[in-house]
Amino acid sequence: MLIKEYRICMPLTTEEYRVGQLYTISKHSHQESEKGEGVEVVKNEPHEDPIHGLGQFTEKRVHLSSKLPGWARAVTPRIFYITEKAWNYYPYTITEYTCSFLPKFSIYIETKYEDNCGDSENIFHSDKILGDHEVSFLDIAFDEIPERYYRSLEDPRFFSSAKTGRGPLREGWRQHTKPIMCSYKLVSVKFEVWGLQTRVEQFVHKVIRDILLIGHRQAFAWVDEWCGMTMEEVRRYEQETQEATNELVGLVAPTISVSEVAQPTATHSAPASAPSTPLSDEAPDFLAPPKTRPRKKSAPETLMLPVLREPTGSE
């Protein structure tokens, strides 16, 4: 398992970000979905944890077979998806990802949000951390993202909010910008396949880094769209968007309930540690090191993230 902590500052308050995060996730999921592909919302319902109290539980399936490179599609079943389960006890959240095709692969993310510039040390006090772990500060304005994801309208160095007057962000903005908050994310990536574990876990962390940067850049660049929305309004937007997205993906999903707080019929605890998903002791054949045949030189060294669509003028 490879554990890293990411700290991403935003020129927002934690209460503002609570609305902005829900809006951004819903809008981005809809933009990334199309017929037979995209984000299917399976559950969105109130949840109570004996430690963290009342919150919201969501379960999603990310269908992306056609977005994989050709060599990966050749060895991947057509019914392929990633399951995302999230427990939101804002300002603390838990998110876990598992794969329908790789039982020994999982991602586990703990997140805490605070109104500071990322200077809280040892914020997680996690018993899963043995020794020191890498801490990376991600700068939404000046850290590079893959060129294919760059959108000038979403560049914090040039974006200025008409409603809040915030932006553009200049060098050293984290030290002098008010308000400011920070997302602290403790990310554990596990891929228990001999010979590939280190390489895959490092690659997945690189992908996660890019996704975190892009998502937080969008949350700020879209601030004029969600600024001023109440939790009731953003939950209604979330429900409407989820229903439209499920219809777009073309999958039959159960009725979605998005009430913010209700008395659940049962109490369940969120997972205490990253899931090990020990469904099989043997790795899939295609992941095992080659025995008799040489590796193809044409096989790509990296996977490709799905290409983000340009927002339409009506959004």
Side-chain angles (χ1 to χ4, degrees):
M1 181 188 299
L2 182 58
I3 301 175
K4 294 185 181 183
E5 181 181 332
Y6 299 94
R7 301 181 184 182
I8 312 103
C9 289
M10 296 282 285
L12 306 168
T13 67
T14 54
E15 283 306 306
E16 289 173 331
Y17 184 75
R18 184 180 189 181
V19 172
Q21 178 193 46
L22 294 173
Y23 179 92
T24 301
I25 291 174
S26 296
K27 178 177 177 178
H28 181 76
S29 296
H30 186 69
Q31 287 184 346
E32 285 299 291
S33 298
E34 56 190 29
K35 184 66 175 179
E37 294 282 335
V39 182
E40 171 197 7
V41 181
V42 179
K43 292 182 181 179
N44 189 347
E45 60 192 21
H47 184 276
E48 184 174 7
D49 182 82
I51 298 176
H52 305 294
L54 290 173
Q56 197 84 1
F57 170 74
T58 58
E59 180 178 347
K60 302 176 182 178
R61 290 179 178 178
V62 184
H63 301 265
L64 40 64
S65 296
S66 70
K67 297 179 187 278
L68 297 174
W71 63 270
R73 291 198 300 270
V75 295
T76 303
R78 291 181 61 84
I79 305 176
F80 170 73
Y81 59 86
I82 293 173
T83 297
E84 175 195 281
K85 295 183 179 180
W87 293 261
N88 188 342
Y89 310 103
Y90 201 87
Y92 174 70
T93 65
I94 300 169
T95 310
E96 66 176 22
Y97 297 88
T98 53
C99 179
S100 62
F101 183 51
L102 301 175
K104 290 183 175 292
F105 171 75
S106 65
I107 302 172
Y108 184 83
I109 304 174
E110 289 183 73
T111 305
K112 291 187 176 181
Y113 305 95
E114 289 191 349
D115 286 309
N116 57 48
C117 61
D119 54 3
S120 292
E121 297 301 329
N122 197 23
I123 189 173
F124 290 101
H125 305 285
S126 176
D127 56 5
K128 297 191 299 298
I129 303 177
L130 301 177
D132 295 333
H133 63 281
E134 180 180 336
V135 176
S136 297
F137 284 85
L138 304 186
D139 190 326
I140 64 171
F142 292 94
D143 280 2
E144 292 186 0
I145 62 172
E147 185 177 355
R148 61 184 177 277
Y149 300 118
Y150 179 80
R151 304 288 183 271
S152 59
L153 295 177
E154 297 172 0
D155 192 332
R157 296 174 301 172
F158 309 115
F159 170 75
S160 179
S161 168
K163 289 186 177 180
T164 67
R166 300 171 200 172
L169 302 182
R170 305 303 185 193
E171 285 280 6
W173 67 272
R174 289 184 297 173
Q175 281 69 48
H176 57 72
T177 297
K178 299 294 181 183
I180 193 167
M181 54 83 63
C182 183
S183 299
Y184 295 81
K185 292 184 176 289
L186 187 66
V187 181
S188 306
V189 177
K190 181 188 294 185
F191 187 68
E192 298 175 321
V193 176
W194 182 83
L196 292 173
Q197 180 172 358
T198 299
R199 182 180 179 185
V200 169
E201 290 177 351
Q202 290 176 343
F203 171 76
V204 171
H205 268 285
K206 181 182 181 303
V207 173
I208 290 173
R209 175 193 176 278
D210 290 341
I211 291 174
L212 290 176
L213 276 172
I214 295 165
H216 285 76
R217 285 163 65 101
Q218 289 178 330
F220 177 52
W222 296 344
V223 63
D224 288 343
E225 299 178 27
W226 57 259
C227 182
M229 296 178 73
T230 64
M231 282 301 299
E232 290 74 19
E233 290 171 335
V234 77
R235 284 296 185 190
R236 186 162 57 250
Y237 171 82
E238 183 182 46
Q239 180 180 16
E240 294 170 353
T241 307
Q242 288 173 357
E243 291 173 350
T245 300
N246 281 1
E247 183 177 353
L248 182 63
V249 173
L251 299 167
V252 178
T255 303
I256 302 169
S257 172
V258 294
S259 54
E260 176 72 7
V261 175
Q263 292 299 323
T265 57
T267 299
H268 302 282
S269 177
S273 61
S276 58
T277 57
L279 302 182
S280 172
D281 292 330
E282 298 296 328
D285 291 339
F286 86 97
L287 287 176
K291 297 178 181 178
T292 57
R293 60 185 179 85
R295 177 185 175 188
K296 291 183 179 181
K297 298 299 183 181
S298 60
E301 294 295 326
T302 60
L303 299 177
M304 299 295 291
L305 289 170
V307 177
L308 300 179
R309 298 180 183 175
E310 287 284 356
T312 63
S314 60
E315 292 180 333

